[in-house]
Amino acid sequence: MSTVYSDLPTVKYEGPSSTNPLAYRWYDAQRVVLGKTLAEHLRPAVCYWHNFCWKGEDIFGLGNTVFQRPWFAEADPIKAAHLKLDAAFDFFGKLGLPYWCFHDRDVAPEGATLAESNRILDGLLEAAARKMQDGKVGLLWGTANLFSHGRFMSGAATNPDPEVYAYAAAQVKHVLEWTHRLGGANYVLWGGREGYETLLNTDLKRELAQYGRFLSSVVEHKHKIGFKGTILIEPKPQEPTKHQYDYDSATVYGFLKTYGLENEVKVNIEVNHATLAGHSFEHEVATACALGIFGSLDANRGDEQLGWDTDQFPNNHVQLVPAMLEMIRHGGYTTGGTNFDAKVRRQSIAPIDQLEGHIGGMDTMARAFLAAAALFESGQLEQAVADRYAGWNGELGQKITGGASLDDLASLVHTQGISPAPRSGRQERLENIVNAFV
């Protein structure tokens, strides 16, 4: 079937010297690095929402369809959804990436009742299942949209109305079951409205308890249906709510510990969300890895001059190397992957712009990973870190970690005349080492 992407070429790897704008220069899917192929390391995915649902509108142009796609012009919402699905899988095939991601409302329009919405979604996802098999495309993760409809204006799990909570639970149940049927590797919960606008009308303790119970129910149902994938929470600090309960990786970990879910749920970290929280991307990755909750990544970037989530394609591999290094140090993905939660700019209205955006983003991530892998294999930073903390392997370090009391340590300091001198962290030298690899 012909789609808006049919005339675009299938993207191939041509190497760093290629001048072809529609070829991969760094993403060689079959290149083996650190014992696995790049495709196995990066597990890249294309998102459904930005590519096929966004009409190019912004806050100053709501209802203005900038991107002229056939499915936006189709009056019948079911026919439009199938046109969109056909185009999406055509696009996936052009890129040759192994995974896709979706929200339920991306794929299918909403009906008058949840039962009707589910029936419509069933038909579309049955068609998607056939296309996945034909095109050999897997599902990195599925999720339910619990933020767009007005019923969710005060949250889903954290809503003051228990009917909204129940509706959201029923919606998640259906999409989780479909994610399982489609062989999804993960299921994501993005709590875009799980937070508050003002504490003047908010019972924060109650809302956190509701959120904890909701997530526990999702985990319970995962095990009931035999879903082997990972449940992921996607942290974000604000926008659209003033303060969201899943602010960053550390906040999510504290929440999970409170409700005994730290071994059941991990995080899906988005670059742009990390920076909006006032962190670097590598900080969020390192924190999640250190706490044992690293799961998956949304690859994009923000604009340093804009204070909101711009979801631009990554285009600076140097900035991403530290995060890739943290991933490699901690063993990389298990069920997670690299989802391009990114969109072309409003003025990039041609279908080819979407292709080029993904090519550039894929090459950026691959180049960053290759540099980080070479840096890791050199052992230079690992040795520097080991040397810096070497004292903890000595007698004093072992006594401290073995449970020495304040009295014990005070006695040692006085009897041995311990008077430590400052030691250089050699940051400039280490930065130079990194620069030699990027």
Side-chain angles (χ1 to χ4, degrees):
M1 181 177 293
S2 178
T3 77
V4 296
Y5 305 109
S6 294
D7 292 336
L8 299 179
T10 299
V11 184
K12 304 292 185 182
Y13 170 74
E14 294 185 3
S17 63
S18 174
T19 59
N20 179 4
L22 299 180
Y24 295 122
R25 297 175 62 241
W26 295 96
Y27 177 59
D28 179 0
Q30 300 308 312
R31 178 174 174 177
V32 176
V33 183
L34 301 177
K36 294 193 295 186
T37 65
L38 270 183
E40 291 171 325
H41 278 298
L42 294 173
R43 294 168 58 86
V46 183
C47 80
Y48 208 87
W49 50 100
H50 288 320
N51 288 295
F52 314 109
C53 301
W54 184 50
K55 299 178 180 180
E57 74 272 27
D58 62 17
I59 194 65
F60 298 108
L62 295 175
N64 184 1
T65 302
V66 177
F67 300 149
Q68 301 301 314
R69 310 288 191 249
W71 52 92
F72 294 146
E74 172 57 58
D76 184 327
I78 306 298
K79 289 182 180 178
H82 279 282
L83 285 174
K84 184 167 59 174
L85 191 73
D86 291 338
F89 276 86
D90 191 8
F91 187 69
F92 300 157
K94 300 296 184 183
L95 285 169
L97 301 184
Y99 295 101
W100 69 301
C101 301
F102 74 91
H103 300 80
D104 50 356
R105 297 297 172 255
D106 302 335
V107 175
E110 190 160 7
T113 64
L114 182 59
E116 183 182 359
S117 297
N118 287 347
R119 284 194 296 273
I120 298 170
L121 181 65
D122 292 347
L124 269 299
L125 289 181
E126 285 165 2
R130 294 190 291 272
K131 291 178 180 294
M132 288 172 64
Q133 188 172 20
D134 294 342
K136 297 180 175 58
V137 179
L139 179 63
L140 186 63
W141 49 260
T143 186
N145 181 330
L146 304 181
F147 49 87
S148 292
H149 194 282
R151 70 175 65 91
F152 299 124
M153 68 178 184
S154 299
T158 60
N159 199 288
D161 184 347
E163 289 189 350
V164 176
Y165 180 107
Y167 191 102
Q171 191 174 332
V172 168
K173 173 183 181 294
H174 196 71
V175 183
L176 177 59
E177 289 171 354
W178 258 112
T179 301
H180 180 39
R181 282 183 61 183
L182 294 172
N186 309 272
Y187 183 85
V188 171
L189 293 127
W190 180 63
R193 307 273 183 193
E194 311 295 11
Y196 62 81
E197 295 291 345
T198 175
L199 286 172
L200 296 177
N201 63 4
T202 300
D203 184 339
L204 192 149
K205 183 177 180 180
R206 175 186 288 276
E207 290 194 359
L208 286 173
Q210 289 175 207
Y211 200 6
R213 179 57 201 145
F214 192 94
L215 188 56
S216 295
S217 297
V218 173
V219 171
E220 290 165 7
H221 196 67
K222 163 194 163 171
H223 291 301
K224 180 180 179 180
I225 65 176
F227 178 54
K228 302 301 183 184
T230 304
I231 303 297
L232 302 170
I233 285 183
E234 184 172 322
K236 190 179 182 185
Q238 67 268 327
E239 190 203 32
T241 56
K242 175 181 177 179
H243 179 94
Q244 287 168 216
Y245 296 135
D246 44 16
Y247 190 93
D248 58 12
S249 293
T251 304
V252 170
Y253 180 74
F255 171 81
L256 296 176
K257 285 286 287 185
T258 299
Y259 296 99
L261 297 168
E262 69 274 16
N263 296 319
E264 292 280 3
V265 180
K266 299 185 185 300
V267 288
N268 179 59
I269 300 169
E270 180 176 316
V271 179
N272 208 170
H273 293 178
T275 53
L276 286 173
H279 304 310
S280 66
F281 178 42
E282 59 265 28
H283 166 85
E284 279 292 272
V285 174
T287 298
C289 288
L291 296 173
I293 58 170
F294 175 73
S296 197
L297 296 179
D298 271 5
N300 58 22
R301 79 180 197 275
D303 189 311
E304 293 178 358
Q305 294 178 299
L306 295 175
W308 62 85
D309 194 4
T310 56
D311 288 327
Q312 296 170 247
F313 282 96
N315 69 350
N316 187 334
H317 75 281
V318 176
Q319 289 182 339
L320 295 170
V321 168
M324 294 292 100
L325 181 60
E326 292 297 333
M327 273 183 56
I328 291 169
R329 283 171 168 168
H330 290 86
Y333 296 125
T334 53
T335 62
T338 307
N339 172 49
F340 285 102
D341 188 0
K343 58 189 177 187
V344 295
R345 298 302 86 196
R346 192 169 188 255
Q347 298 175 51
S348 299
I349 62 175
I352 196 172
D353 297 325
Q354 293 175 284
L355 196 71
E356 292 185 322
H358 283 85
I359 291 169
M362 194 66 251
D363 270 346
T364 298
M365 297 302 293
R367 192 174 184 183
F369 185 87
L370 290 170
L375 181 59
F376 178 77
E377 285 186 306
S378 79
Q380 294 181 67
L381 292 187
E382 313 312 305
Q383 187 59 54
V385 172
D387 291 346
R388 191 172 184 222
Y389 292 91
W392 290 91
N393 296 321
E395 183 180 354
L396 178 58
Q398 292 299 299
K399 284 182 178 179
I400 294 171
T401 56
S405 68
L406 294 184
D407 284 335
D408 295 333
L409 296 176
S411 177
L412 282 171
V413 168
H414 292 303
T415 58
Q416 296 182 13
I418 295 175
S419 181
R423 296 172 55 202
S424 175
R426 308 293 300 276
Q427 181 172 332
E428 290 72 22
R429 176 177 178 270
L430 301 179
E431 288 172 347
N432 290 344
I433 290 173
V434 173
N435 284 340
F437 284 85
V438 300

